[in-house]
Amino acid sequence: MRFGRLNRLSLFVAIVCPLIFAVGQSLAAPAGAPAPASVPPGPTRVAIANPSRIFDQMKETKVLRDKLEVRHKELQAKEQEQRNTIDALLKRKSETNPNHPSYNEILEAIDNAKGQLQVWGVTAKASIEREQKLMLKNLYDKIEKAIGDVAQKQGIDLVMTDGRQELLNVEEIPAEELRRALNGRIILYSVKSVDLTEQVILLLDEQYTKSGSVATPAPIH
């Protein structure tokens, strides 16, 4: 009898105990729970870059500024040409007898010339502003991409904007404006090694040299 009881007890332990252990394991670790990471993630690497300084110093911006300066002079010449036409008509008006049949024709010509100058001015201004905004957006897109390229190459996880600018002639800046400029600084301290600005400028200049082209403003007639 004792032997039979021992066999039944052994059978109970052999069957029931593993089942209890398995149920306990399933309760302790729910199905689908992610396995713990074997290697903890490393520290986040942070760097800074100054988009404004990059924009001012990159080669493409300098070339574009020269092109825009030429364009500005062309527009000034075009405007002066139309004003000269108006001045010539005004001179004819002053030299013409108001009772002469051509006097009214001169007045209409003056009105037309002034109207054309006004329309041309509005059209030229809108076109230039639109082109400048598109060019600015295009350049800043290139800057952002270049920052990302440099950061990825160096294993940087996050790049923050460093908008600090050197404040010259502080005595000439209104106190409230100076306070806003100082309070608006996001980066208060950084070591030079985390600043990607110069590397980004070099990359953009290299890319521009290879492309050999820059957006050219379209002529306004």
Side-chain angles (χ1 to χ4, degrees), residues 52-97:
S52 177
R53 186 154 66 91
I54 294 171
F55 177 84
D56 288 335
Q57 297 182 14
M58 59 189 289
K59 184 182 297 184
E60 186 171 355
T61 300
K62 296 175 182 179
V63 174
L64 182 58
R65 281 176 176 158
D66 291 341
K67 290 181 178 290
L68 289 175
E69 180 63 24
V70 172
R71 172 73 171 283
H72 179 65
K73 291 180 180 179
E74 291 175 349
L75 292 175
Q76 284 183 321
K78 180 67 174 179
E79 179 182 358
Q80 189 58 49
E81 179 183 342
Q82 297 185 63
R83 291 190 181 279
N84 290 341
T85 299
I86 295 174
D87 290 341
L89 289 170
L90 290 173
K91 183 179 180 180
R92 283 184 57 192
K93 172 191 170 186
S94 65
E95 296 172 349
T96 302
N97 189 327

